[in-house]
């Protein structure tokens, strides 16, 4: 072990207190190149007592499990807010979905009655089964203390299936793949949405086509550049704008339906069956484009924590679903009357005088949809980091009131580069549509599998219910995924490439973190033996409070060992602080701190376990403040005068580069890019010392 010591420079980037407008996120459980991967507890490193589920016998009191997160606000305002955030993606699908259906594979889908009735029927039943039945009716019941999303579902399963390690492992892998696929969707959605809206000007003036690409790039640039300022003020306008958008969708569809009411026959499922029987290959290929009508369905589940299931269900049932249904029926009726409109059905539905205003409204709606996806990428990244799937990141909170409004610069600019490359490479929304679908359908299938795990092994669903859900919902989603596999060569490879890269990164991070944790614990040694040495030795005690952030209560902080070895003294008060990330989104502050005197209430050495949810910030000084009053040893000292000693491990890999060592080098690069832990923990730079050792990989 090679000792190291340094003082954190006074100008270091230190986080603000929780809920400050620009605070750093205090929470990931993994290392950077100069830090240990185990300075906080990850979900996989919880002790048996800490990891017990709420239904296990002998479980200690865990009051946070009885306080689900409930969004505050009037139901009507929450529903309006949900319109602006949750439904932006699926709400803008009419811009390009039907156009893609009738343009795929050189018009194999023809604007004939058989095909049009069949396509509209497929659209209706896809939205009904996947969105209404699956998400609104079933999946949204599987909330993790009020939070949703595929990673929240994984966290819920990990907490409830501790006696089923094989299922927990399978769920974790599915969560990794699902999160990776989401990033692919996050890159494609802003590009295809904004371009499809701007392309509307070519209906008004074909000569304006040359302005589509530069205008799209300009709008996307402004969108990503403005992320760092937050969306609190702009977000207030999202709901009314999207309400106007859905009203416009319905208003565009109703006259077309009135002019051709026979289109209502497409609501019967037999129309889709007749289409599939008469033209099976064409119907199969068409499903790869029909799936575009349900992109964004995952947002209903992912944004539960912001608005609550009631608000989302209300907005879907009374605004979004009826508007989409009327609009798609209207598009089908118009195409039957005028087959030539199938080339761009959305803008052809509007009268000539309304097309320019419609382009403006569509652009606003697609920017909102893009904003929702970008914000979702920030949230997924935060959850992934807190669940030990990605390195620790610098997260800035952009609102004093809403903890979910965050900004992650590294994710923002990576997404922007990806979007820009897509726009320049594909050049049009029609070409981009060929890359769309695989990420969406893959995520749908993974969410269904995880939900069925929960339904069977936690809720105790009967076999017939499992079979029904698997066949009806899972069968439709598998067909969607299979149809999108036909688009791999023409652009579908893109989300697969992004997902593969992200899965590699996440699995490498988990592998490396566990390896470093094992080797670090060998250096640390048992805490009880070390404390016995301290108690039996005649060591001088110096005034002050020494705080050692450390991942557990069983091993010794390296900084504690080094401080004793090189200085030969022990502080009058020693506090070992363990940040415990629980498998719930939020824990009330008053319920977070637990204090243990480590077997001797008179030697001034105590342990504080600070429990946080995976969406909570972690702040060590805050943990000490909340721990005061729970143990007499902590009542007399001033948190503002504490000295902090960080235990770190520097990673090193000797020898020349070899291809077979790629995983080690990738892990070290990821560790080097992780956020500074002193800033993450909110430690004051003028009272923090870094000490530790080297670990060879």
């Amino acid at each position: 072990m090679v000792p190291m010591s340094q003082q954190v420079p006074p100008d270091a980037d230190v986080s603000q207190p929780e809920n400050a407008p620009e605070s750093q996120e205090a929470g990931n459980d993994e290392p950077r190149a100069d830090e240990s991967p185990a300075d906080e507890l990850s979900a996989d490193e919880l002790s048996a007592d800490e990891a017990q589920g709420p239904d296990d016998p002998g479980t200690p009191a865990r009051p946070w499990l009885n306080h689900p997160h409930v969004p505050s606000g009037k139901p009507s305002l929450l529903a309006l807010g949900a319109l602006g955030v949750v439904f932006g993606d699926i709400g803008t699908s009419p811009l390009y979905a039907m156009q893609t259906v009738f343009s795929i594979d050189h018009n194999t889908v023809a604007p004939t009655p058989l095909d049009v009735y069949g396509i509209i029927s497929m659209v209706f039943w896809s939205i009904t089964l996947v969105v209404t039945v699956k998400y609104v009716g079933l999946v949204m019941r599987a909330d993790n203390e009020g939070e949703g999303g595929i990673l929240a579902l994984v966290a819920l399963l990990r907490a409830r299936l501790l006696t089923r390690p094989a299922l927990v492992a399978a769920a974790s892998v599915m969560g990794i793949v699902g999160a990776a696929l989401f990033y692919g969707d996050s890159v494609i959605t802003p590009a295809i949405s904004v371009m499809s809206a701007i392309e509307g000007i070519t209906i008004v003036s074909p000569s304006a086509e040359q302005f589509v690409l530069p205008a799209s790039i300009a709008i996307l640039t402004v969108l990503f550049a403005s992320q760092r300022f937050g969306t609190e003020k702009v977000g207030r306008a999202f709901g009314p704008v999207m309400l106007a958008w859905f009203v416009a969708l319905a208003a565009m569809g109703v006259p077309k339906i009135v002019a051709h009411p026979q289109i209502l026959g497409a609501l019967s499922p037999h129309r889709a069956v007749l289409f599939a029987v008469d033209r099976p290959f064409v119907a199969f290929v068409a499903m790869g484009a029909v799936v575009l009508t349900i992109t964004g369905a995952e947002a209903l589940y992912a944004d539960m924590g912001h608005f609550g299931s009631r608000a989302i269900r209300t907005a879907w049932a009374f605004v979004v679903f009826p508007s989409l249904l009327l609009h798609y029926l209207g598009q089908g009726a118009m195409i039957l009357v005028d087959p030539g409109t199938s080339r761009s059905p959305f803008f052809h539905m509007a009268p000539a005088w309304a097309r320019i205003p419609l382009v403006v409204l569509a652009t606003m709606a697609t920017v909102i949809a893009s904003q929702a996806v970008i914000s979702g990428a920030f949230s997924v990244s935060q959850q992934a980091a807190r669940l030990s799937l990605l390195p620790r990141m610098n997260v800035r909170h952009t609102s004093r009131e809403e903890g979910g409004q965050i900004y992650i610069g590294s994710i923002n600019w990576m997404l922007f580069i990806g979007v820009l490359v897509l726009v320049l490479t594909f050049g049009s929304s029609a070409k981009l549509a060929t890359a769309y679908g695989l990420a969406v359908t893959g995520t749908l299938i993974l969410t269904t599998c995880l939900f069925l795990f929960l339904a069977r092994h936690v809720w105790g669903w009967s076999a017939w219910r499992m079979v029904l859900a698997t066949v009806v919902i899972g069968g439709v989603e598998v067909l969607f995924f299979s149809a999108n596999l036909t688009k791999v060569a023409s652009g579908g490879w893109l989300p697969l490439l992004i997902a593969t890269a992200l899965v590699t990164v996440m699995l490498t991070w988990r592998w490396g973190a566990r390896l470093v944790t094992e080797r670090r614990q060998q250096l640390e040694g048992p805490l009880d033996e070390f404390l016995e040495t301290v108690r039996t030795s005649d060591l001088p005690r110096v005034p002050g409070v020494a705080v050692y952030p450390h991942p557990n209560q069983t091993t010794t902080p390296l900084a504690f060992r080094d401080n004793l070895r090189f200085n030969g003294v022990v502080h009058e008060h020693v506090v070992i602080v363990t940040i415990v990330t629980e498998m719930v989104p939020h824990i009330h502050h008053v319920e977070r701190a637990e204090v243990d005197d480590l077997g001797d209430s008179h030697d001034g050495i105590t342990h504080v376990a600070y429990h946080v949810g995976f969406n909570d910030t972690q702040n060590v000084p805050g943990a000490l403040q909340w721990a005061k009053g729970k143990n007499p040893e902590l009542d007399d000292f001033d948190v503002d005068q504490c000295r902090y000693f960080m235990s770190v491990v520097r990673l090193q890999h000797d020898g020349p580069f070899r291809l077979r060592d790629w995983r080690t080098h990738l892990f070290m690069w990821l560790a080097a890019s992780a956020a500074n832990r002193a800033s993450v923990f909110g430690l004051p730079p003028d009272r923090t010392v870094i000490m530790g050792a080297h670990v060879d990989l």
Side-chain angles (χ1 to χ4, degrees), residues 188-254:
I188 299 175
T189 295
I192 192 173
S193 298
V194 172
M195 288 196 74
S196 62
I198 301 300
E199 286 169 352
I201 64 175
T202 62
I203 303 298
V204 179
S205 175
S207 62
E209 184 176 357
Q210 59 182 320
F211 300 109
V212 171
L213 191 60
S216 299
I217 293 174
I219 291 173
L220 289 167
T221 301
V222 172
L223 174 64
F224 280 95
S226 63
Q227 293 302 309
R228 64 188 300 269
F229 301 109
T231 59
E232 182 177 10
K233 294 181 179 179
V234 178
R236 295 172 184 171
F238 282 7
V241 170
M242 290 307 298
L243 178 60
W245 172 256
F246 285 113
V247 170
L249 291 182
M252 293 165 67
V254 170

Side-chain angles (χ1 to χ4, degrees), residues 80-81 83-85 88 92 234-249 319 360-369:
L80 184 63
L83 283 178
V85 176
T92 53
V234 178
R236 295 172 184 171
F238 282 7
V241 170
M242 290 307 298
L243 178 60
W245 172 256
F246 285 113
V247 170
L249 291 182
V319 179
V360 175
L361 181 60
T363 302
M364 295 172 64
T366 54
V367 167
I368 291 172

Side-chain angles (χ1 to χ4, degrees), residues 69 144-148 152 582-587 612-616:
H69 171 66
N144 186 19
E145 303 304 313
E147 296 284 339
E582 298 286 356
M583 292 296 99
V584 295
H586 303 286
I587 297 176
V612 296
F614 54 75
N615 280 340
D616 293 327

Side-chain angles (χ1 to χ4, degrees), residues 545-562:
V545 181
V547 180
Y548 298 92
H550 192 62
N552 56 63
Q553 194 176 337
T554 58
T555 61
T556 308
L558 292 175
F560 197 179
R561 282 187 178 276
D562 288 348

